[in-house]
Amino acid sequence: MSQPDKTQFTNGTPNAPAISRMPRRFGRFHLLHASILVLLCLALATHLRADTISGTVKDPSGAVVAGARVEITGGELSQPIVLTSDEFGKFATPNLKPGRYSVRVAKEGFDDLVTTVDLQGTADLPIKLTIAAQQTRINVSEKSTGFANSDAAYRQLRDAGLGESYRCENFTLTMDVGTFQLKTGTITFLALVNKYETGAVFVGQGHFTLKPLDPIDTREMIRRTGSPTAEEDFTEVVFRFTGNQYPQFAGALGEKTETPPEAAAAFQHWKDKVRHRHEIPEGFTQAILQGETIDNVDADLLAAIYNPKHPPFFNAYMHGTPHKDLRFFIRVRVGALPQMESPEEVALVNCNGGELDDGIWYSQHLLSELKAHTANSREDKRLFATKRYNIETVIAKNDHLQSVATITFEPLTPGERVLKFGLLPNLRVTRVTDQNGQDLHFIQESRKEDGSFYVVLDEAPAMGREHSVSVEYVGDKVLVNAGNGSYYVNARESWYPNLNGFGEKALYDLTFKVPPANMVISVGKLEGQTTEAGFAVSHWVTPVPVAVAGFNYGQYKKIDYPDTITHYNISGYYLTELPDSLKPYENSAFLGAMSPTAMTKYALDQTRAQMQVCTIFFGKAPYDNVYITEQPNFNFGQSWPSLVYLPISAYIDSTQRWMLFGQINTKFNGFVQEVTPHEVAHQWFGHGVGWASYHDLWLSEGFAEFSAGLFLQQAVGKKWEKDYIDFWERQRVRILEKNNFGVSPNDAGPLWLGLRLNSPRSAQAYQGDTYSKGAYVLLMLRSLMYADHGPADNRDQAFIDMMHDFMESHHDSPASTESFKAIAEKHMTKQMDLQQNGRLDWFFNEWVYGTQVPRYSFKYELQPADGGKVKVHAELKQSEVDDHFAMFVPVFADFGNGMVRLGQMGIIGNSTRTVDFILDRQPKKVALNSYKDILER
């Protein structure tokens, strides 16, 4: 599950999923080296000259239609020209001569369209198809649609105007680490909603200050602003808050006054900002805040209107100098930034599109928790706990989804009536009912606005009991036809109403009805297959709770690949035809010889070997079934519970890649080498054990990356050293290589900051730290725990015991950095207890919460010793660290059959240490850190 895939800004193509949660999340397995992208674009571009017929195919809603068949006849053509619209719905002909042409556009699920063109130069055709009569329908009654966005209290919130205004002079409002100084101006409250105050608008002169308490947060503030504190003058600020926050403003109220026109303008300006959604984000904050779970502030406030004991929140939106959209959030329980899936209650965000200062400047627990040392990434931020999803999905011939999802849940806090779901805004809800079949109000504004999906219960559900709601919805953009029976599957975690994202595990019962030529491969186990009304029906059930449900879709062939050692049920699903993006090369020497069956068996071979390696080192996988599926995406892999998506590039061998690109690209070859073992390892890390917050994503991505390196060492045979060393050298470079701004991922900040490392000046920092440095942290722990003088067959036993314990201890709860540290401390060796306190503070402070990376130099002399033995006088120098930085670095010797590990040399600070030791025979060479076990400059 390469969740960080979804944190990369893309050009909107299906080949690179649009930004959503992080995700989740989403990463490096979605990136392609720039030179390769250029080569592909040049190779696949259509050359246009003056006489050209081109066009864009769209459906009635204006959405582009990919994979439409375009046939052009007439003019002086001796035979028809047949084209296929690309992922943007576009098509273009080769060079044509002037004349009269007929253009026919056809696509399953739509009526054919025929138009005539008198071509003299260039003709760009707007093609709008009409939907053919569908065989399946969701019945939408006028009564049910009347429940959309129509709850009375919600309408008051949505349409609220301004109320009374007061003069405000020299008022200080302290909210956790943030301080607002309202120096002079007017404060205008919004009109009451059900007798509750929900907001205010200040216009005038004010100043905001935020001073972090934690040293990591202070350093991050300096990186972002150049100062240890955030300081901002503002001329307007809109406050939105739950009713229990209103008394904070009592001291601000001077004499009543007329409402200034600037207050109305400021409130409208606020609406324009928070109710508008960029479908293609311009920067990191838009990607995080305007995804499938964009906050509808009015819907969030509705929860507090209906439950006066709702966890309080306080939002401030400042228009200041120099920052025009600075946002300060305090939100108890739910989290200040729920899109980050973190329980941290306080945040400061500068929303500035793609500009250099755009980013999350501060995110932390409440000041009271920090001072009391009770802050914890594993705090439960949920209002409801999901128990089960039962989803029936019909995929129509035009690739649109029509679904009914029943979500069973249990309330975790009393009095709550509003549930928020993650759902792709293109999927439009048509009806919501409760467990008794009664219609419920729901909220889903336009997909171009704050169109997140909320359900409003008629009454607060009883605590300690299960309840359910059913949601009917329909729409597109989940699937994009890639051509020839293959599909890009987008919205992989928001194709259904997802209550808590990756923050919990639930059971899934999934039924898919699809055109008979296609196949669904889903999470869970296949319980049955039938046909119904011309559709192929498959039923899938997860035998254990999982964090997310997903599927792959297309015209697949299946191969079963038994594992007689671990007894996992491994299956491979492959496409027999190339997608449209590679179709021009179908008859070429390099892809014409491509054997889908043989390459699928190769991927399954890797899968089986990795499953065996991971089972030894980490314990039994949580799922008995694993499905390895090919996808048309070229440079993007992902893993869902029991379901792995591999890019089509993983099915093209190295010779074919060389012929395709015209060169050997070591970075992309590294990606192909790593992607299968990395994604398979996510069955353990990410799904077997989840992560508590964005701080802890390295426990998923970093551990999966480590496992890819482990695969190269353990599963490829005797000649493993070169690929293994090259792998860790790639990780080292990814961590330390500086970009055009002179900033390396490691320079950007500590591993602990996770997604917050990303900024316009450090766009790859999250990838370099979370994946590569996260992998290195686990590798270094393995090195430290290695029993140099133990039995040859179990020198990794302490490390293996630690990892088994980690998996077993977090089977039912997500892992945090601190909980992993506690496991490591249980299994650490005596040598690792440097501080003699049973803790690994020294190691985690250096490598997880710090950014120091040492530089080593090593030299040695060989001298004869008694009895024909050899004395080694070794000198190790450590530099570019502080005086307290400690590390144990492995030393190796080559006696003629490759490097053999001798032991570890400990060293502290910027210092030089010498050590003498005896060998029983003369080595060819003595070396430090031969297998890249320790991260060094």
Side-chain angles (χ1 to χ4, degrees), residues 316-354:
Y317 305 81
M318 290 168 273
H319 182 86
T321 305
H323 304 104
K324 307 305 180 187
D325 190 3
L326 192 63
R327 305 183 186 187
F328 178 71
F329 300 138
I330 300 178
R331 195 166 185 180
V332 178
R333 177 101 186 190
V334 176
L337 298 171
Q339 295 84 357
M340 295 282 284
E341 295 192 349
S342 167
E344 291 172 336
E345 298 92 349
V346 187
L348 180 66
V349 182
N350 183 41
C351 300
N352 197 16

mmCIF file of all heavy atoms in Angstrom, residues 316-354:
data_model
loop_
_atom_site.group_PDB
_atom_site.id
_atom_site.type_symbol
_atom_site.label_atom_id
_atom_site.label_comp_id
_atom_site.label_asym_id
_atom_site.label_seq_id
_atom_site.Cartn_x
_atom_site.Cartn_y
_atom_site.Cartn_z
ATOM 1 N N ALA A 316 -9.998 29.693 12.953
ATOM 2 C CA ALA A 316 -9.781 31.107 12.632
ATOM 3 C C ALA A 316 -9.138 31.194 11.257
ATOM 4 O O ALA A 316 -8.124 30.541 10.989
ATOM 5 C CB ALA A 316 -8.908 31.767 13.682
ATOM 6 N N TYR A 317 -9.719 32.023 10.396
ATOM 7 C CA TYR A 317 -9.261 32.189 9.017
ATOM 8 C C TYR A 317 -8.819 33.645 8.861
ATOM 9 O O TYR A 317 -9.640 34.559 8.825
ATOM 10 C CB TYR A 317 -10.379 31.860 8.039
ATOM 11 C CG TYR A 317 -10.978 30.487 8.228
ATOM 12 C CD1 TYR A 317 -11.937 30.252 9.210
ATOM 13 C CD2 TYR A 317 -10.587 29.420 7.420
ATOM 14 C CE1 TYR A 317 -12.492 28.988 9.389
ATOM 15 C CE2 TYR A 317 -11.146 28.151 7.592
ATOM 16 C CZ TYR A 317 -12.092 27.947 8.578
ATOM 17 O OH TYR A 317 -12.637 26.692 8.749
ATOM 18 N N MET A 318 -7.507 33.847 8.752
ATOM 19 C CA MET A 318 -6.949 35.197 8.762
ATOM 20 C C MET A 318 -6.560 35.672 7.370
ATOM 21 O O MET A 318 -5.971 34.910 6.587
ATOM 22 C CB MET A 318 -5.698 35.233 9.658
ATOM 23 C CG MET A 318 -5.986 35.089 11.133
ATOM 24 S SD MET A 318 -4.463 34.788 12.092
ATOM 25 C CE MET A 318 -4.340 33.004 11.982
ATOM 26 N N HIS A 319 -6.893 36.901 7.089
ATOM 27 C CA HIS A 319 -6.414 37.592 5.888
ATOM 28 C C HIS A 319 -5.438 38.641 6.379
ATOM 29 O O HIS A 319 -5.825 39.636 6.986
ATOM 30 C CB HIS A 319 -7.582 38.243 5.142
ATOM 31 C CG HIS A 319 -7.163 38.925 3.874
ATOM 32 N ND1 HIS A 319 -7.040 38.280 2.668
ATOM 33 C CD2 HIS A 319 -6.829 40.225 3.630
ATOM 34 C CE1 HIS A 319 -6.666 39.129 1.732
ATOM 35 N NE2 HIS A 319 -6.528 40.320 2.295
ATOM 36 N N GLY A 320 -4.148 38.370 6.159
ATOM 37 C CA GLY A 320 -3.156 39.224 6.787
ATOM 38 C C GLY A 320 -2.079 39.686 5.851
ATOM 39 O O GLY A 320 -2.212 39.643 4.627
ATOM 40 N N THR A 321 -0.989 40.112 6.475
ATOM 41 C CA THR A 321 0.184 40.586 5.751
ATOM 42 C C THR A 321 1.400 39.863 6.320
ATOM 43 O O THR A 321 1.686 39.993 7.514
ATOM 44 C CB THR A 321 0.350 42.101 5.921
ATOM 45 O OG1 THR A 321 -0.839 42.765 5.514
ATOM 46 C CG2 THR A 321 1.531 42.614 5.126
ATOM 47 N N PRO A 322 2.115 39.101 5.517
ATOM 48 C CA PRO A 322 1.972 38.992 4.051
ATOM 49 C C PRO A 322 1.094 37.830 3.603
ATOM 50 O O PRO A 322 0.920 37.628 2.407
ATOM 51 C CB PRO A 322 3.421 38.757 3.610
ATOM 52 C CG PRO A 322 4.006 37.936 4.719
ATOM 53 C CD PRO A 322 3.357 38.445 5.985
ATOM 54 N N HIS A 323 0.514 37.082 4.514
ATOM 55 C CA HIS A 323 -0.192 35.847 4.141
ATOM 56 C C HIS A 323 -1.688 36.107 4.074
ATOM 57 O O HIS A 323 -2.295 36.570 5.029
ATOM 58 C CB HIS A 323 0.149 34.742 5.145
ATOM 59 C CG HIS A 323 1.613 34.508 5.274
ATOM 60 N ND1 HIS A 323 2.355 34.965 6.362
ATOM 61 C CD2 HIS A 323 2.501 33.923 4.434
ATOM 62 C CE1 HIS A 323 3.622 34.647 6.192
ATOM 63 N NE2 HIS A 323 3.749 34.018 5.030
ATOM 64 N N LYS A 324 -2.273 35.766 2.952
ATOM 65 C CA LYS A 324 -3.670 36.112 2.684
ATOM 66 C C LYS A 324 -4.657 35.048 3.144
ATOM 67 O O LYS A 324 -5.855 35.307 3.178
ATOM 68 C CB LYS A 324 -3.870 36.369 1.177
ATOM 69 C CG LYS A 324 -2.914 37.396 0.583
ATOM 70 C CD LYS A 324 -2.964 38.725 1.341
ATOM 71 C CE LYS A 324 -2.017 39.739 0.737
ATOM 72 N NZ LYS A 324 -1.938 40.984 1.564
ATOM 73 N N ASP A 325 -4.153 33.860 3.491
ATOM 74 C CA ASP A 325 -5.061 32.789 3.907
ATOM 75 C C ASP A 325 -4.353 31.900 4.926
ATOM 76 O O ASP A 325 -3.934 30.787 4.634
ATOM 77 C CB ASP A 325 -5.520 31.964 2.695
ATOM 78 C CG ASP A 325 -6.649 31.002 3.039
ATOM 79 O OD1 ASP A 325 -7.110 31.012 4.192
ATOM 80 O OD2 ASP A 325 -7.064 30.232 2.147
ATOM 81 N N LEU A 326 -4.211 32.425 6.129
ATOM 82 C CA LEU A 326 -3.568 31.714 7.228
ATOM 83 C C LEU A 326 -4.658 31.177 8.148
ATOM 84 O O LEU A 326 -5.515 31.939 8.615
ATOM 85 C CB LEU A 326 -2.636 32.664 7.984
ATOM 86 C CG LEU A 326 -1.654 32.047 8.984
ATOM 87 C CD1 LEU A 326 -0.670 31.114 8.281
ATOM 88 C CD2 LEU A 326 -0.915 33.139 9.743
ATOM 89 N N ARG A 327 -4.631 29.877 8.424
ATOM 90 C CA ARG A 327 -5.726 29.233 9.154
ATOM 91 C C ARG A 327 -5.206 28.577 10.434
ATOM 92 O O ARG A 327 -4.250 27.804 10.393
ATOM 93 C CB ARG A 327 -6.406 28.184 8.268
ATOM 94 C CG ARG A 327 -6.884 28.743 6.941
ATOM 95 C CD ARG A 327 -7.616 27.699 6.110
ATOM 96 N NE ARG A 327 -7.951 28.216 4.791
ATOM 97 C CZ ARG A 327 -8.702 27.580 3.890
ATOM 98 N NH1 ARG A 327 -9.196 26.377 4.181
ATOM 99 N NH2 ARG A 327 -8.963 28.130 2.709
ATOM 100 N N PHE A 328 -5.875 28.879 11.535
ATOM 101 C CA PHE A 328 -5.543 28.310 12.839
ATOM 102 C C PHE A 328 -6.722 27.464 13.305
ATOM 103 O O PHE A 328 -7.850 27.938 13.347
ATOM 104 C CB PHE A 328 -5.258 29.431 13.843
ATOM 105 C CG PHE A 328 -4.962 28.947 15.236
ATOM 106 C CD1 PHE A 328 -3.770 28.307 15.520
ATOM 107 C CD2 PHE A 328 -5.866 29.153 16.263
ATOM 108 C CE1 PHE A 328 -3.484 27.871 16.812
ATOM 109 C CE2 PHE A 328 -5.597 28.729 17.552
ATOM 110 C CZ PHE A 328 -4.393 28.080 17.833
ATOM 111 N N PHE A 329 -6.432 26.187 13.623
ATOM 112 C CA PHE A 329 -7.495 25.252 13.977
ATOM 113 C C PHE A 329 -7.233 24.655 15.358
ATOM 114 O O PHE A 329 -6.102 24.278 15.679
ATOM 115 C CB PHE A 329 -7.553 24.083 12.982
ATOM 116 C CG PHE A 329 -7.816 24.468 11.555
ATOM 117 C CD1 PHE A 329 -7.110 23.863 10.523
ATOM 118 C CD2 PHE A 329 -8.756 25.415 11.237
ATOM 119 C CE1 PHE A 329 -7.344 24.186 9.202
ATOM 120 C CE2 PHE A 329 -9.011 25.761 9.912
ATOM 121 C CZ PHE A 329 -8.298 25.146 8.892
ATOM 122 N N ILE A 330 -8.283 24.560 16.152
ATOM 123 C CA ILE A 330 -8.275 23.734 17.360
ATOM 124 C C ILE A 330 -9.514 22.850 17.288
ATOM 125 O O ILE A 330 -10.640 23.356 17.186
ATOM 126 C CB ILE A 330 -8.313 24.570 18.650
ATOM 127 C CG1 ILE A 330 -7.099 25.497 18.748
ATOM 128 C CG2 ILE A 330 -8.372 23.656 19.873
ATOM 129 C CD1 ILE A 330 -7.108 26.380 19.983
ATOM 130 N N ARG A 331 -9.293 21.547 17.334
ATOM 131 C CA ARG A 331 -10.425 20.633 17.205
ATOM 132 C C ARG A 331 -10.164 19.407 18.080
ATOM 133 O O ARG A 331 -9.276 18.608 17.790
ATOM 134 C CB ARG A 331 -10.616 20.224 15.748
ATOM 135 C CG ARG A 331 -11.957 19.579 15.483
ATOM 136 C CD ARG A 331 -12.214 19.512 14.000
ATOM 137 N NE ARG A 331 -13.538 19.010 13.709
ATOM 138 C CZ ARG A 331 -14.023 18.847 12.497
ATOM 139 N NH1 ARG A 331 -13.273 19.145 11.446
ATOM 140 N NH2 ARG A 331 -15.238 18.383 12.308
ATOM 141 N N VAL A 332 -10.938 19.304 19.134
ATOM 142 C CA VAL A 332 -10.740 18.231 20.094
ATOM 143 C C VAL A 332 -11.346 16.939 19.553
ATOM 144 O O VAL A 332 -12.364 16.953 18.869
ATOM 145 C CB VAL A 332 -11.376 18.614 21.447
ATOM 146 C CG1 VAL A 332 -11.224 17.485 22.465
ATOM 147 C CG2 VAL A 332 -10.734 19.902 21.979
ATOM 148 N N ARG A 333 -10.717 15.841 19.859
ATOM 149 C CA ARG A 333 -11.108 14.474 19.495
ATOM 150 C C ARG A 333 -10.977 14.184 18.012
ATOM 151 O O ARG A 333 -10.246 13.291 17.609
ATOM 152 C CB ARG A 333 -12.550 14.178 19.954
ATOM 153 C CG ARG A 333 -13.068 12.779 19.555
ATOM 154 C CD ARG A 333 -13.012 11.803 20.665
ATOM 155 N NE ARG A 333 -13.364 10.448 20.261
ATOM 156 C CZ ARG A 333 -13.572 9.453 21.095
ATOM 157 N NH1 ARG A 333 -13.488 9.670 22.390
ATOM 158 N NH2 ARG A 333 -13.835 8.248 20.667
ATOM 159 N N VAL A 334 -11.667 14.929 17.171
ATOM 160 C CA VAL A 334 -11.644 14.651 15.733
ATOM 161 C C VAL A 334 -10.274 14.939 15.131
ATOM 162 O O VAL A 334 -9.852 14.285 14.177
ATOM 163 C CB VAL A 334 -12.739 15.467 15.020
ATOM 164 C CG1 VAL A 334 -12.681 15.274 13.516
ATOM 165 C CG2 VAL A 334 -14.109 15.078 15.548
ATOM 166 N N GLY A 335 -9.554 15.904 15.708
ATOM 167 C CA GLY A 335 -8.255 16.306 15.176
ATOM 168 C C GLY A 335 -8.363 17.591 14.393
ATOM 169 O O GLY A 335 -9.331 17.813 13.646
ATOM 170 N N ALA A 336 -7.363 18.453 14.533
ATOM 171 C CA ALA A 336 -7.388 19.740 13.836
ATOM 172 C C ALA A 336 -7.408 19.558 12.334
ATOM 173 O O ALA A 336 -8.052 20.324 11.611
ATOM 174 C CB ALA A 336 -6.181 20.578 14.253
ATOM 175 N N LEU A 337 -6.685 18.551 11.856
ATOM 176 C CA LEU A 337 -6.629 18.257 10.422
ATOM 177 C C LEU A 337 -7.031 16.794 10.235
ATOM 178 O O LEU A 337 -6.172 15.917 10.086
ATOM 179 C CB LEU A 337 -5.224 18.506 9.867
ATOM 180 C CG LEU A 337 -4.705 19.945 9.951
ATOM 181 C CD1 LEU A 337 -3.232 20.003 9.564
ATOM 182 C CD2 LEU A 337 -5.533 20.871 9.075
ATOM 183 N N PRO A 338 -8.322 16.495 10.232
ATOM 184 C CA PRO A 338 -8.734 15.091 10.115
ATOM 185 C C PRO A 338 -8.253 14.436 8.825
ATOM 186 O O PRO A 338 -8.112 13.220 8.774
ATOM 187 C CB PRO A 338 -10.267 15.164 10.191
ATOM 188 C CG PRO A 338 -10.624 16.590 9.914
ATOM 189 C CD PRO A 338 -9.471 17.404 10.385
ATOM 190 N N GLN A 339 -7.989 15.243 7.788
ATOM 191 C CA GLN A 339 -7.488 14.687 6.532
ATOM 192 C C GLN A 339 -6.091 14.073 6.712
ATOM 193 O O GLN A 339 -5.678 13.246 5.913
ATOM 194 C CB GLN A 339 -7.432 15.775 5.456
ATOM 195 C CG GLN A 339 -8.783 16.329 5.062
ATOM 196 C CD GLN A 339 -9.279 17.431 5.976
ATOM 197 O OE1 GLN A 339 -8.638 17.776 6.964
ATOM 198 N NE2 GLN A 339 -10.429 18.001 5.656
ATOM 199 N N MET A 340 -5.382 14.467 7.748
ATOM 200 C CA MET A 340 -4.055 13.904 8.025
ATOM 201 C C MET A 340 -4.159 12.643 8.873
ATOM 202 O O MET A 340 -3.137 12.043 9.203
ATOM 203 C CB MET A 340 -3.193 14.940 8.748
ATOM 204 C CG MET A 340 -2.864 16.162 7.930
ATOM 205 S SD MET A 340 -1.550 15.876 6.744
ATOM 206 C CE MET A 340 -0.115 15.873 7.804
ATOM 207 N N GLU A 341 -5.380 12.263 9.252
ATOM 208 C CA GLU A 341 -5.605 11.090 10.092
ATOM 209 C C GLU A 341 -4.701 11.121 11.318
ATOM 210 O O GLU A 341 -3.956 10.188 11.617
ATOM 211 C CB GLU A 341 -5.429 9.806 9.283
ATOM 212 C CG GLU A 341 -6.474 9.679 8.189
ATOM 213 C CD GLU A 341 -6.519 8.301 7.545
ATOM 214 O OE1 GLU A 341 -5.612 7.494 7.802
ATOM 215 O OE2 GLU A 341 -7.466 8.047 6.794
ATOM 216 N N SER A 342 -4.792 12.231 12.031
ATOM 217 C CA SER A 342 -3.979 12.432 13.226
ATOM 218 C C SER A 342 -4.869 12.969 14.338
ATOM 219 O O SER A 342 -5.757 13.796 14.090
ATOM 220 C CB SER A 342 -2.860 13.432 12.941
ATOM 221 O OG SER A 342 -2.252 13.856 14.152
ATOM 222 N N PRO A 343 -4.636 12.540 15.583
ATOM 223 C CA PRO A 343 -5.427 13.090 16.688
ATOM 224 C C PRO A 343 -4.919 14.427 17.194
ATOM 225 O O PRO A 343 -5.463 14.957 18.165
ATOM 226 C CB PRO A 343 -5.275 12.000 17.765
ATOM 227 C CG PRO A 343 -3.943 11.405 17.516
ATOM 228 C CD PRO A 343 -3.745 11.454 16.017
ATOM 229 N N GLU A 344 -3.867 14.991 16.591
ATOM 230 C CA GLU A 344 -3.347 16.282 17.043
ATOM 231 C C GLU A 344 -4.430 17.344 16.919
ATOM 232 O O GLU A 344 -5.027 17.523 15.857
ATOM 233 C CB GLU A 344 -2.105 16.652 16.234
ATOM 234 C CG GLU A 344 -0.926 15.736 16.543
ATOM 235 C CD GLU A 344 0.258 15.947 15.634
ATOM 236 O OE1 GLU A 344 0.060 16.435 14.504
ATOM 237 O OE2 GLU A 344 1.382 15.613 16.043
ATOM 238 N N GLU A 345 -4.637 18.074 17.998
ATOM 239 C CA GLU A 345 -5.803 18.956 18.082
ATOM 240 C C GLU A 345 -5.562 20.383 17.610
ATOM 241 O O GLU A 345 -6.517 21.148 17.438
ATOM 242 C CB GLU A 345 -6.300 19.001 19.538
ATOM 243 C CG GLU A 345 -6.762 17.667 20.092
ATOM 244 C CD GLU A 345 -5.656 16.888 20.810
ATOM 245 O OE1 GLU A 345 -4.468 17.294 20.696
ATOM 246 O OE2 GLU A 345 -5.969 15.882 21.464
ATOM 247 N N VAL A 346 -4.316 20.782 17.408
ATOM 248 C CA VAL A 346 -3.996 22.182 17.104
ATOM 249 C C VAL A 346 -3.149 22.240 15.830
ATOM 250 O O VAL A 346 -2.205 21.460 15.675
ATOM 251 C CB VAL A 346 -3.223 22.839 18.269
ATOM 252 C CG1 VAL A 346 -3.043 24.333 18.012
ATOM 253 C CG2 VAL A 346 -3.932 22.609 19.591
ATOM 254 N N ALA A 347 -3.482 23.181 14.939
ATOM 255 C CA ALA A 347 -2.717 23.286 13.689
ATOM 256 C C ALA A 347 -2.727 24.716 13.182
ATOM 257 O O ALA A 347 -3.662 25.488 13.448
ATOM 258 C CB ALA A 347 -3.293 22.361 12.622
ATOM 259 N N LEU A 348 -1.659 25.057 12.436
ATOM 260 C CA LEU A 348 -1.573 26.326 11.717
ATOM 261 C C LEU A 348 -1.185 25.995 10.286
ATOM 262 O O LEU A 348 -0.158 25.353 10.046
ATOM 263 C CB LEU A 348 -0.528 27.246 12.353
ATOM 264 C CG LEU A 348 -0.355 28.613 11.676
ATOM 265 C CD1 LEU A 348 -1.609 29.461 11.837
ATOM 266 C CD2 LEU A 348 0.859 29.346 12.249
ATOM 267 N N VAL A 349 -2.000 26.445 9.330
ATOM 268 C CA VAL A 349 -1.802 26.107 7.920
ATOM 269 C C VAL A 349 -1.774 27.393 7.112
ATOM 270 O O VAL A 349 -2.667 28.240 7.240
ATOM 271 C CB VAL A 349 -2.937 25.189 7.407
ATOM 272 C CG1 VAL A 349 -2.685 24.799 5.952
ATOM 273 C CG2 VAL A 349 -3.059 23.949 8.279
ATOM 274 N N ASN A 350 -0.758 27.531 6.271
ATOM 275 C CA ASN A 350 -0.717 28.644 5.325
ATOM 276 C C ASN A 350 -1.148 28.126 3.966
ATOM 277 O O ASN A 350 -0.432 27.355 3.324
ATOM 278 C CB ASN A 350 0.686 29.235 5.230
ATOM 279 C CG ASN A 350 0.722 30.442 4.313
ATOM 280 O OD1 ASN A 350 -0.188 31.271 4.330
ATOM 281 N ND2 ASN A 350 1.760 30.547 3.496
ATOM 282 N N CYS A 351 -2.331 28.512 3.540
ATOM 283 C CA CYS A 351 -2.885 28.056 2.263
ATOM 284 C C CYS A 351 -2.495 29.061 1.186
ATOM 285 O O CYS A 351 -3.054 30.154 1.122
ATOM 286 C CB CYS A 351 -4.403 27.934 2.358
ATOM 287 S SG CYS A 351 -4.962 26.778 3.617
ATOM 288 N N ASN A 352 -1.559 28.671 0.354
ATOM 289 C CA ASN A 352 -1.052 29.623 -0.638
ATOM 290 C C ASN A 352 -0.751 28.929 -1.960
ATOM 291 O O ASN A 352 0.291 29.162 -2.584
ATOM 292 C CB ASN A 352 0.194 30.336 -0.103
ATOM 293 C CG ASN A 352 0.507 31.599 -0.880
ATOM 294 O OD1 ASN A 352 -0.337 32.110 -1.625
ATOM 295 N ND2 ASN A 352 1.725 32.104 -0.732
ATOM 296 N N GLY A 353 -1.667 28.015 -2.359
ATOM 297 C CA GLY A 353 -1.537 27.381 -3.664
ATOM 298 C C GLY A 353 -0.202 26.699 -3.826
ATOM 299 O O GLY A 353 0.250 25.953 -2.973
ATOM 300 N N GLY A 354 0.456 26.956 -4.938
ATOM 301 C CA GLY A 354 1.748 26.342 -5.196
ATOM 302 C C GLY A 354 2.919 27.217 -4.816
ATOM 303 O O GLY A 354 4.052 26.958 -5.238
#
